[in-house]
Amino acid sequence: MKILTILTAGLIVLVTPHFTLAQNQMAAKAVTAVKIAEARKANAKLMHEYSWQSRTELLENGKLEDLRLEQVQYGSDGSLQRITLNEQGASLPFGFLRRAIAEKKRKQMEEFLMGLRGLIDQYTLPTAGKVLDFMDKATVSLADEGRLILMSGTGVVVPGDSLSVWTEAATRHTHKIQVNTFFQGEAVNLTATFKTLRTGLTHVGFAEVTVPGKNLSVQVQNSDYDRIMPPPAPKVSEDKKPASPSSSSLETVERKLRDLKALFDKGLITQSDYDAKKAQLLEGL
């Protein structure tokens, strides 16, 4: 059913890898934020080399309404390709009026989940600037007897929300994330646990989105990851290799970030000016 594909695409890329305990200095956090964004891009690129099975269940009032088992992989154009292996769904009732009501309800459900997916996507912190904003507000602590690093923040996307990320201290791989937020007046809870393959790929093992006010739950389980060998990359001559940022350029950005923060602290620039200039500096790395 179309209704089951709406949220799963967002949950596939729901990976916020390699959080680290950042120093208090603004510049150190900025560099860490850039590294996190780069790690996410590398993980997303690696994901394109795999196919896997995805099982999605939609439950309403504790009753299974839809179930879909799919084989998933990325196509050559970068889009997700799904092959349905098994599908079970509640059939529409007979009778014109009852059927029309059921179809309207399903349409409303699709629209709700589509909007909810857009909100959830924002909690992936898609840019270095978003990561840095979260790190500025978040608190960091140790959990599970020091085996996990917990980073928690509030007011991440909407007022009153919260985002918590558990990272394995030894490997810096994402272990779990939890989001408590609001959409169209409804409380929404997301919990996702992650697995890391030997190749370094971090992926969502299990995720559940619940909307208690609607007695709604969407559960996604990903498994059986098989690597599809990519074509050999073309060789790049030494003179054509892209140059990595030099230490001097990083120092320049760090200095400008410190100066920018000083101007903001003194009230010489507005919050919007500060955010815009900070994002511009990070984009240049």
Side-chain angles (χ1 to χ4, degrees):
M1 306 296 290
K2 176 184 176 182
I3 197 169
L4 285 186
T5 65
I6 295 175
L7 271 181
T8 52
L11 293 175
I12 286 173
V13 298
L14 188 62
V15 179
T16 312
H18 305 99
F19 269 111
T20 61
L21 284 168
Q23 301 176 23
N24 291 328
Q25 289 83 0
M26 180 70 179
K29 286 186 177 181
V31 172
T32 301
V34 172
K35 290 181 178 179
I36 291 171
E38 290 175 346
R40 183 188 293 113
K41 290 180 181 179
N43 194 80
K45 182 179 180 181
L46 186 58
M47 183 79 76
H48 282 63
E49 300 178 11
Y50 282 83
S51 68
W52 64 94
Q53 286 191 7
S54 181
R55 176 188 176 93
T56 307
E57 298 181 1
L58 173 65
L59 296 92
E60 191 172 9
N61 297 314
K63 178 184 176 182
L64 181 64
E65 293 292 336
D66 281 300
L67 180 150
R68 173 174 286 194
L69 182 64
E70 299 172 306
Q71 189 72 28
V72 187
Q73 70 181 64
Y74 283 92
S76 57
D77 62 350
S79 63
L80 279 174
Q81 297 181 344
R82 303 172 181 272
I83 300 175
T84 301
L85 305 178
N86 188 17
E87 185 175 10
Q88 301 174 26
S91 58
L92 292 172
F94 292 104
F96 175 78
L97 181 58
R98 293 176 62 195
R99 189 179 184 88
I101 294 173
E103 288 178 343
K104 181 179 180 181
K105 180 180 178 182
R106 177 165 293 185
K107 178 66 174 178
Q108 291 173 340
M109 180 70 73
E110 289 180 359
E111 292 175 352
F112 179 83
L113 292 179
M114 181 63 74
L116 180 57
R117 173 188 164 185
L119 174 64
I120 290 176
D121 283 346
Q122 297 182 61
Y123 288 94
T124 64
L125 308 178
T127 66
K130 294 293 185 182
V131 173
L132 182 57
D133 287 342
F134 176 67
M135 293 175 68
D136 279 341
K137 301 174 183 177
T139 59
V140 180
S141 60
L142 296 178
D144 195 18
E145 298 181 349
R147 287 188 287 270
L148 298 175
I149 300 170
L150 171 58
M151 184 173 288
S152 302
T154 59
V156 181
V157 177
V158 298
D161 69 359
S162 65
L163 169 63
S164 299
V165 182
W166 287 262
T167 302
E168 295 177 8
T171 63
R172 304 304 192 203
H173 292 142
T174 303
H175 177 78
K176 175 183 175 181
I177 71 168
Q178 184 172 312
V179 175
N180 299 307
T181 187
F182 303 92
F183 179 68
Q184 293 185 0
E186 298 285 351
V188 177
N189 306 310
L190 164 66
T191 301
T193 55
F194 296 82
K195 294 183 178 180
T196 301
L197 306 182
R198 291 183 177 180
T199 58
L201 175 70
T202 299
H203 67 86
V204 176
F206 177 81
E208 181 177 22
V209 178
T210 60
V211 187
K214 291 182 175 292
N215 293 315
L216 181 68
S217 171
V218 179
Q219 300 176 359
V220 179
Q221 184 172 356
N222 298 314
S223 61
D224 299 329
Y225 278 72
D226 292 322
R227 192 167 193 176
I228 304 171
M229 294 304 295
K235 293 184 178 180
V236 180
S237 60
E238 291 295 328
D239 57 342
K240 292 184 178 181
K241 287 184 178 180
S244 58
S246 64
S247 58
S248 60
S249 63
L250 286 175
E251 291 174 357
T252 300
V253 172
E254 291 176 8
R255 177 177 53 78
K256 289 183 177 180
L257 284 169
R258 287 195 297 269
D259 293 342
L260 183 65
K261 186 64 164 58
L263 291 174
F264 176 70
D265 290 340
K266 293 177 181 179
L268 298 177
I269 58 175
T270 64
Q271 179 73 55
S272 60
D273 291 337
Y274 171 71
D275 291 339
K277 187 61 178 178
K278 180 177 67 176
Q280 181 181 351
L281 289 172
L282 291 174
E283 288 293 336
L285 289 178

